[in-house]
Amino acid sequence: PYAPPLADRTWPDKTITEAPLWCSVDLRDGNQALIDPMDVPRKKQMFEALVEMGFKEIEVGFPSASAPDFDFCRLLIEEELIPDDVWVQVLTQSRSELISRSFEALTGCERAIMHLYNPTSTLQRRVVYGLDRAGIINLAVTGTRQCRELREAMSGTDVRFEYSPESFTGTEIDLAIEICERVAEEWGATPEDPIILNLPATVEMSTPNLYGDLIEYFHRNIRNRDAVILSLHPHNDRGCGVAAAEFGMMAGADRVEGTLFGNGERTGNVDIITLAMNLFSQGVDPELDISHIDHLRRVAEYCNQLPVHPRHPYGGDLVYTAFSGSHQDAIKKGFEALEATYTLWQVPYLPIDPAHVGRTYQDVIRVNSQSGKGGVAYVLKNNYGLDLPRRLQVEFSRAIQAITDEGGEILPEMIKDTFDKTYLNTISPLAYLGHRSSFDSSSSADSEVAAQVRLRDTEVEITGSGNGPLSAFKNALENQCRIKINLVDYQEHAVGAGADASAAAYVEIETSDRQAWWGVGVDSNIVTASFQALVSAINRAGVAALA
């Protein structure tokens, strides 16, 4: 890395006292990193979650490089899905035809940020572009000039401008400053119409203190600093993305680009959830609503089709759970010593009050023995072949806990009977009666279902289509029975072998009140089992699933 001489650095003595400007890049940088990029429904769900969190700047795609990104940008604009106080951001390389296409994608948008970039590092200049320093500067300035001219020709759209010298940390600091000053001058940046200068650690190349030095040097030496919004875009190749972002904020940055739970290329982008919750843990308002972190995790897992690790800071399934007996005892005593209306959170082993992110002490902080959940899961798997997903294990353990709290031993037969009553014998208000389906395995959007159900006391036949039988059945229930739910998780496995083999399906749904419910189905036919599982979850949710 090109670390500057900075013997008089000041950032180590600073503390962070306010949140930065946040920009989510989940729908662009995060989406590019997915094995299965988001389709439009998943993009829309992610966008809505980001808006609900309070993001005012959201990078929605790379419309010049991807037809789905272009179409999604148009969908947001044409269906008027962008709130009045939200700026959508699009990314483009500094190439004439791509810049024109990007502006075309923004036609009719009220507020937009045009994000221009070109690589500037010594390695990229040598092996990718074959350009010297002057050539790279010209590439950036030429692209900026075209953006300025297209903004002037565009009516009805307030366009702000962002420039990124990509691979900033692999670029000589004097060149990075020079190219950014030339771009800002070409754009005509003023304090009233500032330019966003975004400094990406496209590949994290050093310890985070050197990134802090780079940011402070840039902050102190860039001309017309009052006409600049200084932005960070750290990646996490060395596992220090959050630390680098915090050091960069201490060093003078105004803005941070990142993703929920750190999804991104290679080891990911900077994790905005962790970064924001770190502020919260120090008494600084993050200016993002993370009060329902389980909901956000479910949205991220569904949209990204990637799991959030159970030990992930703040949001993982296990981060407020103590397995060690000594930890459990300390947590229990900490709760007992805590005043009901505390002013300072002080509970051993818990850096924040889990209630502030929507967790409850009873459901998450297991200060009794953890063997209840583990033992129940072991019995169901080894005695009955049911391999429950972990979150279902947690949910079902509460039903068993209610029994064991009364004292006495609970036998495997009683565990299975309780499981059946809780998940398998649920037929009200909705009952599944049968179905016919067609499924084209060569198409992800060609599955049709006709099903017979009983809703309360009325038997009806419903029909629907989707990108699989379960999706088609869910759509049929939504359209014809007014049952409004989101599918969050689906898992299946075989039970037994040979002629007596069957299949178990597990479905997790989320209702409009953000509550999660599991349902289970067991049948010789996996499609039937999945339908039974969805019906089970809906019945357990009750009126919350009925519009």
Side-chain angles (χ1 to χ4, degrees):
Y2 293 90
L6 200 65
D8 60 342
R9 63 181 61 82
T10 64
W11 66 261
D13 296 324
K14 302 288 181 63
T15 57
I16 302 172
T17 58
E18 61 181 9
L21 301 171
W22 299 109
C23 177
S24 160
V25 293
D26 288 89
L27 290 165
R28 196 277 302 173
D29 211 346
N31 190 47
Q32 287 176 243
L34 300 179
I35 300 168
D36 177 20
M38 296 181 219
D39 55 17
V40 170
R42 281 191 282 155
K43 281 177 177 280
K44 185 169 177 286
Q45 185 170 343
M46 175 65 80
F47 181 80
E48 290 170 347
L50 295 170
V51 168
E52 190 174 1
M53 285 181 69
F55 281 96
K56 303 306 179 187
E57 297 177 9
I58 302 172
E59 191 165 80
V60 297
F62 202 148
S64 63
S66 163
D69 277 17
F70 185 94
D71 293 342
F72 180 65
C73 189
R74 298 307 309 154
L75 173 78
L76 292 176
I77 296 167
E78 292 168 7
E79 296 192 7
E80 300 182 349
L81 300 176
I82 306 169
D84 291 341
D85 59 348
V86 171
W87 295 71
V88 293
Q89 178 171 305
V90 297
L91 181 73
T92 180
Q93 286 180 304
S94 188
R95 290 169 49 188
S96 177
E97 70 278 10
L98 302 184
I99 293 171
S100 297
R101 180 67 167 166
S102 300
F103 271 90
E104 180 185 346
L106 294 175
T107 302
C109 184
E110 294 185 15
R111 289 156 303 279
I113 300 171
M114 181 58 61
H115 183 186
L116 181 79
Y117 81 97
N118 63 284
T120 60
S121 70
T122 56
L123 181 62
Q124 294 263 43
R125 298 199 310 265
R126 177 171 58 83
V127 305
V128 178
Y129 285 86
L131 293 174
D132 59 12
R133 290 167 62 126
I136 285 291
I137 292 173
N138 182 65
L139 187 64
V141 172
T142 300
T144 302
R145 183 178 304 120
Q146 183 181 357
C147 289
R148 176 175 52 78
E149 292 169 351
L150 288 172
R151 177 174 85 154
E152 292 169 356
M154 179 178 275
S155 61
T157 301
D158 186 359
V159 179
R160 292 162 57 195
F161 185 64
E162 174 176 349
Y163 173 70
S164 288
E166 195 205 2
S167 301
F168 163 75
T169 50
T171 304
E172 304 93 325
I173 188 62
D174 63 313
L175 174 60
I177 291 174
E178 181 182 359
I179 197 169
C180 286
E181 287 179 342
R182 292 283 300 278
V183 164
E185 181 181 4
E186 179 63 42
W187 180 254
T190 66
E192 294 71 34
D193 181 21
I195 186 173
I196 301 170
L197 293 179
N198 188 54
L199 307 179
T202 308
V203 178
E204 189 179 27
M205 302 171 67
S206 68
T207 52
N209 62 302
L210 294 184
Y211 187 65
D213 282 356
L214 283 167
I215 301 306
E216 180 166 343
Y217 190 91
F218 189 98
H219 163 68
R220 287 162 52 171
N221 289 279
I222 188 78
R223 286 202 307 266
N224 301 322
R225 178 64 177 86
D226 60 349
V228 171
I229 296 172
L230 184 53
S231 177
L232 309 177
H233 187 109
H235 278 251
N236 197 44
D237 299 84
R238 291 170 53 94
C240 300
V242 168
E246 290 178 331
F247 290 176
M249 291 161 62
M250 292 156 62
D254 310 302
R255 180 178 184 266
V256 175
E257 294 186 344
T259 59
L260 303 186
F261 301 103
N263 174 51
E265 296 278 16
R266 307 177 309 278
T267 45
N269 288 55
V270 69
D271 176 2
I272 284 185
I273 294 287
T274 299
L275 198 54
M277 287 305 302
N278 283 356
L279 293 177
F280 178 80
S281 72
Q282 302 302 305
V284 177
D285 182 0
E287 298 181 14
L288 290 174
D289 183 358
I290 312 178
S291 59
H292 297 280
I293 203 166
D294 288 337
H295 165 74
L296 296 176
R297 188 190 69 236
R298 288 192 291 266
V299 169
E301 289 182 328
Y302 172 72
C303 292
N304 294 332
Q305 296 293 290
L306 291 171
V308 172
H309 195 280
R311 300 292 185 190
H312 194 98
Y314 299 107
D317 275 340
L318 298 177
V319 294
Y320 305 109
T321 302
F323 290 94
S324 162
S326 61
H327 288 200
Q328 293 172 353
D329 182 64
I331 291 171
K332 177 176 180 292
K333 291 175 179 175
F335 277 131
E336 292 170 350
L338 194 66
E339 297 178 0
T341 56
Y342 67 86
T343 56
L344 180 64
W345 174 257
Q346 290 182 307
V347 174
Y349 302 110
L350 296 178
I352 67 164
D353 184 344
H356 287 146
V357 291
R359 295 282 180 92
T360 65
Y361 311 136
Q362 293 77 16
D363 293 345
V364 179
I365 302 173
R366 312 287 295 186
V367 296
N368 299 324
S369 171
Q370 286 292 310
S371 63
K373 171 181 63 63
V376 169
Y378 180 86
V379 167
L380 288 176
K381 182 175 181 179
N382 287 274
N383 291 42
Y384 303 101
L386 296 172
D387 191 5
L388 275 57
R390 190 193 176 279
R391 288 201 294 272
L392 177 54
Q393 294 178 26
V394 174
E395 182 183 275
F396 180 53
S397 71
R398 300 174 200 144
I400 299 301
Q401 191 72 46
I403 298 172
T404 57
D405 282 349
E406 297 178 3
E409 181 183 3
I410 183 166
L411 300 176
E413 294 80 2
M414 182 177 291
I415 292 175
K416 180 60 165 59
D417 183 63
T418 304
F419 183 82
D420 291 352
K421 289 177 180 177
T422 305
Y423 297 100
L424 297 180
N425 300 335
T426 56
I427 58 173
S428 177
L430 182 68
Y432 162 83
L433 303 178
H435 79 277
R436 303 184 308 278
S437 66
S438 62
F439 178 59
D440 182 1
S441 60
S442 66
S443 171
S444 63
D446 191 16
S447 186
E448 296 182 355
V449 164
Q452 296 75 46
V453 299
R454 182 173 59 249
L455 182 58
R456 299 186 175 92
D457 296 322
T458 303
E459 292 188 12
V460 294
E461 181 169 290
I462 58 175
T463 59
S465 60
N467 60 1
L470 184 61
S471 175
F473 184 50
K474 179 257 187 188
N475 291 339
L477 290 170
E478 181 171 300
N479 294 334
Q480 294 170 253
C481 297
R482 301 181 66 220
I483 294 175
K484 181 66 175 176
I485 50 97
N486 287 324
L487 288 174
V488 174
D489 196 4
Y490 173 77
Q491 298 184 37
E492 64 182 47
H493 65 79
V495 179
D500 296 328
S502 58
Y506 309 96
V507 169
E508 186 183 26
I509 66 171
E510 189 177 80
T511 51
S512 58
D513 61 355
R514 290 177 170 173
Q515 294 298 305
W517 299 88
W518 281 93
V520 183
V522 178
D523 193 88
S524 59
N525 182 290
I526 186 56
V527 173
T528 297
S530 70
F531 290 3
Q532 291 174 341
L534 180 57
V535 167
S536 167
I538 291 169
N539 284 330
R540 297 190 64 247
V543 294
L546 302 178

